[in-house]
Amino acid sequence: MSNIETNINNNQLLRFTTAGSVDDGKSTLIGRLLYDSKSIFEDQLASIESTSQKKGHEGVDLALFTDGLRDEREQGITIDVAYRYFTTPKRKFIIADTPGHMQYTRNMVTGASTANAAIILIDARHGVVEQTKRHSFLASLLQIQHVLVCVNKMDLVQYSETRFNEIVEQFGDVMSKMTIKDVQFIPISALNGDNVVHRSTEMEWFQGAPLLHQLETLHISSDINKTDARFPVQTVLRPQSAEHLDYRGYAGRIESGIFRKGDEVTVLPSGFSSKIKSIDCNETSVEEAFAPMSVAITLEDDIDVSRGDMLVRTANQPMCSQEFDAYLCWMDNKPAQPNAKYTIRHTSNEQKALIKEVVYKMDINKLERNNDDKSILMNDICRVTIRTTKPLMIDEYRDNRYTGSLILIDESTNNTVAAGMIL
Amino acid sequence: MSRYYLNYLDELEAEAIFILREVAAQFKNPVILFSGGKDSILVTHLARKAFYPSKIPFALLHVDTGHNFPETMKFRDDLVAELGVKLLVGSVQDSIDEGKAQEEKGKRASRNVLQIGTLLSAIENNKIDCAIGGGRRDEEKARAKERFFSHRDDFGQWDPKNQRPELWNLFNGKYNHGEHFRVFPISNWTEMDVWNYIHRENIAIPSLYFAHEREVIWRDNSWIPVSEHIQLDASEVPTTKKIRFRTLGDITITGGIESDADTLEKICDEVSTMRQTERGNRADDKRSESAMEDRKREGYF
């Protein structure tokens, strides 16, 4: 086997998001990660060098690497989620780089929805601030499994171990209200590169590994739910060619769990049962398939299955429900309209829905519930009761990210107006 | 480690197939934008996998500038015949002849920007509601902001500051009359991923990607092929070099690099040590710092 193949077979994909306040040095950290892992090309570096000079910066401003749109370069701000890529011999990484200020909640929720890990940046001089609580709450709400708390700008507090320990303790109080499984703390200086890719020589007292090493070794194989087999049908493959005359394959992606040839499965919502005849990946058939594989499944019996239906193992079924509670994150300038109809997208299923009741609004700065304010505005997070015209096949979000999540679409503008996590 | 995990190439493949199936389910008349370059070939290959044993449920749309590499055209026609799909061609030459587009003048003239109008007409005339492209976010800074499902208004324009949020794997392809979508199934792939996958799957690509002898001139820091479509200065003397192309666009603006890589394995090795981005050899991106963003806003690929 060649070197290339060995690398590919062992390398997993890790998606992470970065959260920090405006001046926490988030862009500098991303720039540093990419630069020190040799992921910046010479022509990109030359362009950043010339811009740094034009702006009168000393040295190369690595933060410029993350600017995308013209307005962002001109105004020195980040407007929208941008995605960055780098690869090390151990892993491929996708960074969802989310803006620190404008429409923060909306963008962080978007970036976090697909992330395995989140980096939360804290300025060593300021310690845990209101924004840190907000970022941690969102990471917890979105059920990000791994959080790396980077205490940045350690160079500005004389690389003090005492200061670092104070901040770790402050964060402990925040953590007590969260449900994040795996939290690590790393003292860094993104500007000077301490503990980002290379171990710092200024902080001998820190026993842990640098950030990149942590990212390379996070145990992510168990992040995916392997217990509850769920297969939402995207489309039906019926070639009707001479060669495949009777072929009827249900195409989709396994969102969780494992399916095997011969498994007894039930089609929801109809409730008809059958056995898996074959699991096909392109021209080959496999004995078993697991999340997040895209496959086509054929059944022993001829039953009616179409887009929006879900195949599940008969012995392990989701709830079929027309009324349920969810946390909604509102993402549109137009506030939620009481009793207005929205289109709801859940897996490949699409129905009409209305927000029946606002249970409470979350004050994400104080981490308190507000039971009086029933309005839902841009960037609000509320617990609501949703009613749909037909049943959805749902799991709780904390058990299953993909059968526990939904979006609402405004029928007049076609905009995606809310992200929902089912309780 | 558990055996129930995918390596990153398999995960990228599963993601792209998921996106392609969403397109088939959510749109009435989707097409694949096919340039004959490796990225659109990859998207077509993934589409074949996504719908097997059915045929690919999309036509291929080629925006033809008339300034093509002959090798690319042959490759395109062979692939269309093999897949049994429909080929649609939007011709920049026709747009010029009909007075809808104005040819640029001078030595640096290119038909790159003219493709926008031709593409938008083809979308309108064929009632296309979704154009699937091989764009990748690692290619260029404006592309780093792209969604998988990217909305275009009824003038075909992209509004990067006002995009729909994209959450989990729930894609919203709803549009009003006259609007359309661009969908990018390989958004999360890098150049290296594309080459590793082409190598692993042994996907056929045009010979232009492999090192070969060609008559070229040195212009704007790369080897530009000599063809009937290019105007030479007195100072530009054609010479023969062993080169290969990292990207394929118009023959007038696509620069090659000197290389001995004549197999997929050698190309993978070469790409892994590259210190310049692949679009560094594309004159269309060098026009200004926001050249790609400006074209994309107007409706470019």
Side-chain angles (χ1 to χ4, degrees), chain B residues 19-36:
Chain B
I19 301 283
L20 287 161
R21 288 167 170 176
E22 276 305 289
V23 170
Q26 292 196 33
F27 296 94
K28 290 190 207 90
N29 188 23
V31 298
I32 294 176
L33 293 172
F34 190 82
S35 69

Side-chain angles (χ1 to χ4, degrees), chain B residues 50 80 203 291-292:
Chain B
V80 164
I203 300 170
M292 176 65 90

Side-chain angles (χ1 to χ4, degrees), chain B:
Chain B
M1 199 185 286
S2 148
R3 67 195 163 109
Y4 296 111
Y5 77 94
L6 294 179
N7 67 51
Y8 75 92
L9 269 189
D10 286 332
E11 189 167 339
L12 291 174
E13 179 195 68
E15 177 181 84
I17 288 175
F18 176 83
I19 301 283
L20 287 161
R21 288 167 170 176
E22 276 305 289
V23 170
Q26 292 196 33
F27 296 94
K28 290 190 207 90
N29 188 23
V31 298
I32 294 176
L33 293 172
F34 190 82
S35 69
K38 67 182 189 311
D39 298 314
S40 58
I41 292 169
L42 169 60
V43 169
T44 309
H45 176 86
L46 291 163
R48 171 152 55 177
K49 282 198 165 193
F51 301 101
Y52 184 87
S54 296
K55 274 188 192 169
I56 297 176
F58 317 126
L60 303 189
L61 171 61
H62 181 216
V63 176
D64 180 0
T65 60
H67 292 173
N68 301 300
F69 287 95
E71 292 94 331
T72 316
M73 301 302 279
K74 175 160 187 340
F75 186 92
R76 178 195 80 181
D77 294 340
D78 290 350
L79 187 65
V80 164
E82 186 198 330
L83 296 173
V85 295
K86 192 171 163 193
L87 174 70
L88 304 169
V89 178
S91 160
V92 173
Q93 187 62 52
D94 289 353
S95 302
I96 293 168
D97 294 346
E98 290 161 16
K100 289 179 185 161
Q102 190 87 46
E103 188 104 68
E104 289 182 6
K105 297 209 166 53
K107 186 181 105 173
R108 292 284 192 275
S110 132
R111 288 182 166 182
N112 183 272
V113 174
L114 304 188
Q115 294 179 98
I116 299 173
T118 306
L119 170 62
L120 294 177
S121 307
I123 286 174
E124 196 177 329
N125 296 339
N126 294 291
K127 295 193 167 54
I128 292 163
D129 58 354
C130 175
I132 305 161
R136 311 190 319 264
R137 289 171 180 156
D138 82 314
E139 275 182 277
E140 210 282 334
K141 48 190 178 291
R143 285 197 165 153
K145 301 278 172 178
E146 267 291 6
R147 300 291 193 261
F148 278 98
F149 273 45
S150 186
H151 179 258
R152 294 293 183 273
D153 68 16
D154 50 357
F155 294 97
Q157 296 185 90
W158 181 50
D159 183 2
K161 288 199 280 186
N162 193 23
Q163 302 192 75
R164 293 179 188 173
E166 236 163 42
L167 296 129
W168 299 289
N169 51 7
L170 298 169
F171 296 98
N172 172 4
K174 293 191 184 293
Y175 59 88
N176 288 317
H177 183 72
E179 301 172 347
H180 74 278
F181 268 78
R182 303 287 173 86
V183 170
F184 304 100
I186 58 166
S187 286
N188 280 334
W189 300 50
T190 62
E191 183 192 17
M192 191 73 243
D193 300 334
V194 170
W195 282 115
N196 279 333
Y197 187 81
I198 288 173
H199 177 230
R200 187 182 87 174
E201 306 273 307
N202 201 17
I203 300 170
I205 50 170
S207 55
L208 301 158
Y209 283 111
F210 299 98
H212 59 286
E213 305 258 322
R214 184 172 283 265
E215 201 178 29
V216 288
I217 54 158
W218 183 249
R219 180 187 281 185
D220 292 337
N221 282 320
S222 59
W223 294 108
I224 302 284
V226 174
S227 72
E228 55 179 314
H229 303 296
I230 195 160
Q231 299 177 30
L232 299 188
D233 273 356
S235 63
E236 291 174 324
V237 185
T239 145
T240 299
K241 288 274 171 192
K242 192 164 191 189
I243 63 154
R244 68 174 203 88
F245 297 96
R246 282 178 83 185
T247 68
L248 290 183
D250 263 21
I251 196 164
T252 58
I253 52 165
T254 305
I257 52 165
E258 284 187 72
S259 167
D260 286 319
D262 53 5
T263 65
L264 286 174
E265 192 155 5
K266 285 184 195 166
I267 291 173
C268 288
D269 284 342
E270 188 182 271
V271 171
S272 71
T273 58
M274 288 283 186
R275 298 308 307 147
Q276 302 279 330
T277 56
E278 62 178 330
R279 295 194 75 92
N281 292 311
R282 289 283 285 263
D284 43 338
D285 293 343
K286 289 183 182 167
R287 289 193 170 185
S288 82
E289 203 177 0
S290 55
M292 176 65 90
E293 180 182 340
D294 295 341
R295 281 176 297 156
K296 278 187 70 66
R297 280 176 180 270
E298 295 296 314
Y300 190 68
F301 307 102

Side-chain angles (χ1 to χ4, degrees), chain A residues 170-226:
Chain A
Q170 286 173 0
F171 197 85
D173 292 342
V174 180
M175 280 293 299
S176 61
K177 295 174 187 167
M178 315 278 165
T179 56
I180 300 167
K181 285 173 192 151
D182 174 22
V183 184
Q184 322 241 17
F185 297 89
I186 312 163
I188 67 167
S189 164
L191 191 66
N192 300 333
D194 292 282
N195 284 340
V196 178
V197 170
H198 306 294
R199 178 175 287 281
S200 171
T201 51
E202 303 284 347
M203 292 178 277
E204 301 283 343
W205 49 264
F206 179 64
Q207 303 293 315
L211 174 63
L212 181 64
H213 181 83
Q214 306 257 27
L215 290 168
E216 284 179 328
T217 52
L218 284 176
H219 182 67
I220 54 171
S221 296
S222 52
D223 290 1
I224 293 174
N225 176 333
K226 298 200 185 71

